[in-house]
Amino acid sequence: SLLKEKHCQHESKSMLETTPQKPMNKHRVPSRCDSCNVVFQRLYNLSKPMQEDGCVRRKNITEASAKVAEVWTFPTEKITIADSHRLYHIGMKQLIALEQRRIEASKEY
């Protein structure tokens, strides 16, 4: 409303009287001046990517919460040798890091 008053110096018309989609009749006066349309279009173009990002973020959150709600079942099939080596090395790195933290903590006392 304040933006409209600031940029437009015209008489107010009802929204039913003019529609932007239809071609303008020579007897009809537009409800907003051209400078207002430019300002509103620029603001809309700035907010559109943020709205799309928000939509994607909400969709990802919904999918993640649905995935968390699924019940995990222990796999019954055998894992590959490569997966077993990877899991072993991850476990060893975690044990080494834990032992190093314990050594550092014991040095402080």
Side-chain angles (χ1 to χ4, degrees):
S1 162
L2 182 61
L3 185 62
K4 187 176 182 180
E5 292 172 9
K6 184 177 178 183
H7 291 288
C8 298
Q9 303 297 328
H10 58 78
E11 296 176 15
S12 62
K13 298 284 183 177
S14 70
M15 291 305 285
L16 296 175
E17 192 173 329
T18 60
T19 57
Q21 291 84 9
K22 294 181 182 178
M24 295 300 290
N25 190 346
K26 64 181 179 179
H27 300 292
R28 231 185 253 184
V29 177
S31 64
R32 294 186 180 126
C33 64
D34 291 335
S35 64
C36 287
N37 287 334
V38 170
V39 170
F40 292 135
Q41 189 63 38
R42 183 176 56 84
L43 291 173
Y44 176 77
N45 289 338
L46 288 173
S47 70
K48 187 169 177 134
M50 290 187 284
Q51 291 175 6
E52 291 171 352
D53 290 342
C55 181
V56 169
R57 208 173 319 125
R58 286 189 298 276
K59 183 179 175 186
N60 289 341
I61 290 170
T62 304
E63 290 173 357
S65 63
K67 188 174 182 179
V68 167
E70 292 177 2
V71 177
W72 184 79
T73 57
F74 192 79
T76 57
E77 65 274 354
K78 290 186 177 182
I79 63 172
T80 63
I81 294 174
D83 283 341
S84 66
H85 282 291
R86 182 181 56 81
L87 290 172
Y88 174 78
H89 288 292
I90 289 172
M92 287 297 112
K93 286 180 184 177
Q94 289 176 347
L95 287 175
I96 291 168
L98 176 64
E99 196 62 32
Q100 287 175 345
R101 285 194 304 268
R102 286 180 179 163
I103 291 170
E104 291 297 321
S106 68
K107 288 180 181 179
E108 293 176 1
Y109 295 113

